[in-house]
C-alpha cells in the first residue's frame, strides 16, 4: 500500500498518475483545512477534488468541481441576493447535501468519504486527515478569515500575518495514522505547502507517523524558483518562507527523505541536500496524464518499488 498526502488541484494531477498505476493499492490522506460551511452545507473541496480526479470526473481546467456541471443553484442565490461568491456547481451540490445529511445523522467524515468514493467507482481509499472541523484560518491586515474567504472571496489579496490550522479541537483519524504506519511508502503531492499539505502534516499523529515511515518522497509544487500560482507565492513570502524549492525543503525537512525537483532548479540541489533531503531531478510539469504517470513511476522507483 502506498499513501499519498493530497490537497488542491496541483495534487490531483499526481493522484491521477498514481491511481493509474496503483488502483486499489493507493490510500489518499486529504486536507480538511479548507472544509467550509456554506448555506448550511459542509463543503470539502480537497476530499472532493481527490475523489473526482480518481473517478475521472474532475473539471481539470478549473482544478475543482465536477466536469460538465451547471451553476443554477448559485445563479438562484445571486438572484435572491444571498452570498454567491463560492461557485458550488449543481452536481457538486448533491455531494455536499449527502455529506451534510449523513454527518447530521452521526456518521463520521471518514466513512462518508469512503461511501461517496465507492459510489463514484473509485477503488482507492480516500481518508480525510481528520473527522473533525479543523479550519485553516488566516490572520490578515483585514482581520481573521477562513481560507475560502481569503482565497475565493478576497482573491488572496489581504496581507497575511499568520496561519493557524484548528488543531485545538481536532485530531488525525486513526485510519490516516494507521495507513501511514503500514505503508510501503508515502508520497507528498505537489500541493501548496501552507494551505494544502501544511494542515495535514500539522496533526501530531500524522507527523509522528511520517517521521517513522519507510520512505517519504515529495514532489515540489514549485518550478523555476517560482511558485505555481500568484497567491500561493505571495502567501509563502508574507509568512517569511521563500517561495522556492529551498523554502519548501525547510518546511519538509523533518519528515521528507527525497524531493523531486525540476531540472530548472538544479542550482538549488546543494541547499536541499544541506537540510537533509535528497534532491531528485525530474521534469515535474504535470500537463498531461502521461506526465503524471511518469512522475508517479519515478516516485515509486525512488521507494524501490
Ligand atoms: N475555487 C475558486 O477559485 N472559486 C470558486 O468559486 C470555488 C468554488 C468551489 C466549490 C466547490 C469546491 O469543492 C471547490 C471550489 N473551489 C473554488 C476550489 C477551492 O476553493 C480551493 O481550490 C480548494 O479549497 C483548495 O484545495
Amino acid at each position: 500500500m502506498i499513501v499519498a498526502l493530497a490537497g488542491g488541484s496541483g495534487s490531483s494531477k499526481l493522484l491521477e498518475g498514481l491511481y493509474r498505476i496503483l488502483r486499489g493499492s493507493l490510500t489518499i490522506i486529504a486536507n480538511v483545512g479548507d472544509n467550509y460551511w456554506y448555506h448550511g452545507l459542509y463543503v470539502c473541496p480537497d476530499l472532493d477534488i481527490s475523489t473526482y480526479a480518481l473517478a475521472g470526473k474532475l473539471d481539470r481546467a478549473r482544478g475543482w468541481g465536477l466536469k460538465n456541471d451547471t451553476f443554477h443553484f448559485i445563479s438562484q442565490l445571486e438572484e435572491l441576493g444571498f452570498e454567491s461568491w463560492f461557485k458550488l456547481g449543481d452536481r457538486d451540490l448533491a455531494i455536499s447535501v449527502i455529506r451534510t445529511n449523513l454527518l447530521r445523522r452521526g456518521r463520521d467524515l471518514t466513512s462518508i468519504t469512503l461511501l461517496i468514493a465507492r459510489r463514484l467507482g473509485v477503488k482507492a481509499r480516500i481518508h480525510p486527515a481528520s473527522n473533525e472541523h479543523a479550519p485553516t484560518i488566516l490572520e490578515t491586515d483585514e482581520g481573521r478569515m477562513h481560507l475560502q474567504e481569503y482565497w475565493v472571496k478576497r482573491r488572496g489579496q489581504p496581507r497575511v500575518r499568520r496561519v493557524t490550522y484548528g488543531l485545538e479541537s481536532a485530531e488525525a483519524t486513526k485510519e490516516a495514522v494507521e495507513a501511514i504506519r503500514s505503508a510501503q511508502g508515502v508520497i507528498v503531492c505537489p500541493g501548496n505547502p501552507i494551505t494544502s499539505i501544511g494542515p495535514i502534516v500539522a496533526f501530531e499523529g500524522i507527523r509522528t507517523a511520517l517521521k517513522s515511515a519507510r520512505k517519504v518522497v515529495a514532489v515540489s509544487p514549485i518550478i523555476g524558483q517560482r511558485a505555481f500560482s500568484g497567491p500561493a507565492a505571495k502567501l509563502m513570502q508574507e509568512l517569511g518562507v521563500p517561495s522556492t524549492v529551498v523554502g519548501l525543503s525547510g518546511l519538509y525537512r523533518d519528515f521528507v527523505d527525497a524531493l523531486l525537483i525540476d531540472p530548472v532548479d538544479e542550482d538549488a540541489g546543494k541547499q536541499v541536500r544541506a537540510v537533509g533531503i535528497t534532491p531528485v531531478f525530474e521534469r515535474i510539469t504535470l500537463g498531461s496524464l502521461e506526465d503524471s504517470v511518469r512522475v508517479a513511476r519515478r516516485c515509486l522507483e525512488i521507494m524501490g518499488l
Side-chain angles (χ1 to χ4, degrees), residues 8 34 43 45-46 49 64 85-88 92 148 152 155:
D34 61 340
V43 185
D46 285 350
I49 288 170
W64 50 269
W85 53 269
F86 193 67
K87 310 286 180 218
L88 187 62
D92 208 5
Q148 300 299 351
V152 180
R155 301 271 157 223

Side-chain angles (χ1 to χ4, degrees), residues 59-136:
D59 185 315
R60 290 184 103 245
R62 270 202 312 259
W64 50 269
L66 287 158
K67 60 183 167 193
N68 303 321
D69 211 345
T70 51
F71 293 88
H72 300 297
F73 166 65
I74 288 295
S75 305
Q76 190 61 57
L77 287 173
E78 202 172 342
E79 195 182 318
L80 291 166
F82 285 89
E83 282 211 332
S84 59
W85 53 269
F86 193 67
K87 310 286 180 218
L88 187 62
D90 299 329
R91 288 168 187 271
D92 208 5
L93 170 67
I95 305 287
S96 290
V97 167
I98 288 165
R99 179 167 41 226
T100 309
N101 277 326
L102 290 175
L103 281 170
R104 290 211 170 101
R105 280 190 227 151
R107 276 183 79 154
D108 66 30
L109 194 57
T110 296
S111 80
I112 297 168
T113 306
L114 288 172
L115 174 71
I116 293 169
R118 225 177 19 249
R119 293 278 171 103
L120 290 176
V122 173
K123 305 277 181 270
R125 264 170 296 274
I126 302 173
H127 292 315
S130 174
N131 279 324
E132 285 98 30
H133 190 52
T136 298

Side-chain angles (χ1 to χ4, degrees), residues 175-248:
E175 288 85 352
V177 172
E178 189 41 45
I180 296 173
R181 284 212 183 109
S182 56
Q184 284 177 281
V186 179
I187 295 168
V188 182
C189 290
N192 182 325
I194 310 286
T195 56
S196 298
I197 304 299
I200 305 176
V201 301
F203 286 110
E204 204 188 313
I206 290 184
R207 193 169 272 257
T208 306
L210 283 173
K211 285 181 186 167
S212 50
R214 213 189 123 253
K215 187 103 180 171
V216 182
V217 176
V219 177
S220 172
I222 298 167
I223 300 177
Q225 304 282 328
R226 283 184 308 116
F228 29 103
S229 72
K234 174 180 168 286
L235 182 57
M236 286 176 80
Q237 284 154 14
E238 286 173 358
L239 293 171
V241 182
S243 57
T244 63
V245 290
V246 176
L248 179 78

Side-chain angles (χ1 to χ4, degrees), residues 139-143 145 157-161:
E139 289 174 17
T140 78
D141 57 358
E142 295 177 30
M145 58 188 83
Q157 279 161 1
R159 197 177 166 77
V160 177
R161 300 198 181 103

